[in-house]
Amino acid sequence: MEMDIDSACKPKDEEKAKGKPIAAILVGAPGSGKSTFCENVMRGSSRPWVRVCQDTINNGKSGTKPQCLKSAAASLKEGKSVFIDRCNLDKEQRVDFVNLGGPEVEVHAVVLDLPAKLSISRIVKRTGHEGNLQGGKAAAVVNRMLQNKELPKLSEGFSRITFCRNETDVDAAVKTYTAVGPLDTLPHGCFGQKDPNAKTQLGIMRFLKRLHETNARDSVPSQLTEEKGPCGKTQETVSSSSGMASQKIKVSEDMAPGSISHDESDIPTLAFPSISTVDFQFDLEKASDVIVGKVEEFMDKLGNARLVLVDLTERSKILSLVRAKAAEKKIDSKRFFTFIGDICQLYTKGGLCCNVIANAANWRLKPGGGGVNAAIFNAGGPALEAATKEQARSLLPGNALVVPLPSTSPLYSKEGVTHVIHVLGPNMNPRRPNCLDNDYVKGCKVLEDAYSSLFKGFLSIANTQVKVPRSSGSILSGPSKLEDEISGTKTKTWAPCLQALYNIAMQPEKHNKQVLEASDDVVVLNDIYPKAKQHLLVLARIKGLDTLADARKEHLPLLMTMHEVGLRWVDKFVGEDASLVFRLGYHSVPSMRQLHLHVISQDFDSKNLKHKKHWNSFTTAFFRDSVDVMEEINNQGKATIQDEKRLMSMELRCHRCRSAHPNIPRLKSHISSCQAPFPADLQKKGRLVPEQN
């Protein structure tokens, strides 16, 4: 009888909850420990758990959100509980997984909101990550994800949310979920949250700055590297919502497999500060209205171009005002977003590729004063000041001046900036020229004109980007733009940061420290990120010969010269180390402009060989042997270009015995001792030098 009374007194909803499967949605940036959390719970729990991870959902490879949803739904239907192992850092990314809940499924969130420096430290140090997100470059990705996180709330549909702010909290959460048996349930509610409005962890940028300083070779691409950095074709990012060092850069987790590669090099981008500077004492509410209004006006004219409002501090009031007002107007956050960082170092410090930056200038267009104007003139060097003087000596409020940046400017060579647009806004400071004495009717009109002039100047650049002709010609007499238009030749736009090899090939005398050899036909230099003990690049010195796809029969003598030069260097290296074996060849689709031959030893003993794309770019059919290229061009008139996407995603196999390996560390350990003969196809036609017996 007592049993009946106790049973009758229990709430019906609690009774129904017993035995329900749990959909536990993990929330956290890479490096926060989501996968480890799952493994620790599943190792000790008596409840049947399934881990659904987007990095491995596609037969061990990266997959899609729909695949995760399908797998999770199937497991829940079978009565199993599931961990959703994705970043899930905003409500939009969580909503479909929350909807898996219902009368028969409880939906929980486990938030691993650990200190930013801990996650970043982990991700920099780790290797062989199943999602290939690791190393110094990944640190910037994690930073921008953390800056844009949106913590879950019960109102989204969760029955329980557990916040973990440190490793002690994580251990407690692991014990809690491990102890949940097949028929048990957990109390509903929100546990462990210190500040419901918390969003940004202070000190992230300070830590990231130190990280960049100590890991510069990983995080800052060099002019000469073959690695595809932030301005390259395979920039490493993460399939998740992010906003570089601020908010509103959105890179969706819903992307298809392979979307971890993201190409921003061809997207025209204007980075601009608030033109109504602090020194001009303009009302920020009114200034933010003008910015958002003008951005909205120009949205339809942008095409694929982007506008980025930049400020140095995460506490910037103008950024927060603009973000809120842009969101209200539902402005596309992929084409207009805010960014915290130094406008003079957006690429090298933040990984954001901007070909145009705006300067909140003074009326004299002089480098004096402080703030943005002084910083940009200082970063641009004498080349920017001289180029500005050629255009104009002064500027009226409400106007903008477009200044093409010489390639000798550090902003061009290091940051990939091709143009600086000087723009002068309205002044409300009585100590500065042209004070409007708080006349905001006139002030807002001047500010509107200033942004209109700025955006029009940017669009004129975006619509007339310099195109690199795909045709041949000598260094001194390459085809003109008019000739290219008449002939209908296809063109390709190359971001400035991808033209370092081209610049060296055209003017080797300016790069004496890098150049090992130079002649009328070729330039030889070391790859600054060698993937083996010996790794040279032999550059063609001819305009219009940007990639292997451009090579035709008339280029055959040059290709033969490049091959002969490569062989001569091989002889030198083998004379110094007789154990070395080389291949000479081209990447089917290079990451940098200007045709270049790789001369690379086959030991692949290099700390710079870190990722699958590094390995597959030299050991699959993507790497076209020089002897085969010359034969194909001689017989067919052009070389065969292999499929980059397919070959870069192939499994890791030893280049000698062809055994498969799960990650780069395991592969490198194997090849250091593998003595198997090279595959038979490589031992023919002189593809290996010296030839193998």
Side-chain angles (χ1 to χ4, degrees), residues 603 615 652-676:
D603 50 87
W615 181 256
L652 296 168
R653 287 190 173 274
C654 174
H655 63 309
R656 298 177 73 110
C657 69
R658 306 306 297 162
S659 58
H661 300 272
N663 53 47
I664 287 292
R666 292 272 194 91
L667 174 68
K668 293 178 79 170
S669 176
H670 167 81
I671 62 176
S672 66
S673 58
C674 182
Q675 297 298 316

Side-chain angles (χ1 to χ4, degrees), residues 271-342:
F272 65 97
S274 173
I275 304 305
S276 48
T277 63
V278 173
D279 194 43
F280 285 169
Q281 299 180 2
F282 201 91
D283 181 84
L284 295 184
E285 279 285 353
K286 291 181 172 61
S288 61
D289 286 337
V290 172
I291 293 172
V292 174
K294 282 299 170 182
V295 167
E296 185 179 34
E297 178 184 327
F298 275 82
M299 270 291 110
D300 292 339
K301 305 172 185 178
L302 284 177
N304 73 326
R306 306 182 301 182
L307 303 175
V308 187
L309 178 63
V310 178
D311 205 341
L312 275 172
T313 172
E314 60 199 33
R315 296 179 293 278
S316 166
K317 185 176 180 181
I318 191 70
L319 289 193
S320 60
L321 287 170
V322 168
R323 279 196 298 269
K325 293 175 182 180
E328 288 177 5
K329 291 182 176 290
K330 297 181 179 180
I331 293 175
D332 186 350
S333 61
K334 292 180 181 178
R335 294 193 294 156
F336 173 60
F337 51 89
T338 63
F339 192 100
I340 295 172
D342 184 345

